[in-house]
């Protein structure tokens, strides 16, 4: 389901992935476009901060189901 705002997508992701780390999900998806560079940096962050699978799932959910880039450019 495509959410109209990133905030809505974050809240939906946190409901779907209850063990996800809220701050990690919010920060990782702030103003990011889903690109190869973003994915490479995301993997480095995952390793550095020891994010769990639910946190990664929530981040991916937000990137797939929000208009994060459109909010930044507006």
């Amino acid at each position: 389901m495509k959410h109209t705002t990133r905030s809505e997508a974050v809240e939906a992701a946190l409901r779907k992935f209850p063990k996800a780390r809220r701050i990690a999900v919010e920060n990782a998806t702030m103003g990011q476009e889903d690109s190869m560079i973003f994915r490479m940096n995301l993997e480095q962050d995952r390793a550095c901060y020891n994010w769990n699978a639910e946190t990664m799932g929530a981040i991916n959910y937000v990137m797939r189901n929000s208009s994060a880039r459109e909010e930044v450019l507006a």
Side-chain angles (χ1 to χ4, degrees):
M1 172 186 187
K2 196 78 160 172
H3 299 279
T4 56
T5 67
R6 185 189 63 84
S7 296
E8 287 178 1
V10 167
E11 293 306 318
L14 293 173
R15 283 191 301 275
K16 183 175 175 118
F17 300 95
K19 293 183 181 178
R21 297 179 182 170
R22 173 183 285 276
I23 292 174
V25 175
E26 290 174 344
N27 289 345
T29 59
M30 181 66 70
Q32 297 294 326
E33 64 180 280
D34 196 7
S35 67
M36 177 66 81
I37 293 169
F38 170 75
R39 292 286 172 184
M40 289 169 46
N41 288 334
L42 186 62
E43 180 56 31
Q44 290 173 343
D45 287 348
R46 184 207 57 78
C48 265
Y49 300 119
N50 197 29
W51 290 342
N52 60 27
E54 291 223 348
T55 299
M56 292 301 292
I59 291 168
N60 287 321
Y61 178 91
V62 173
M63 294 310 297
R64 283 191 316 270
N65 295 294
S66 77
S67 303
R69 180 155 172 73
E70 289 83 2
E71 286 180 35
V72 170
L73 296 176

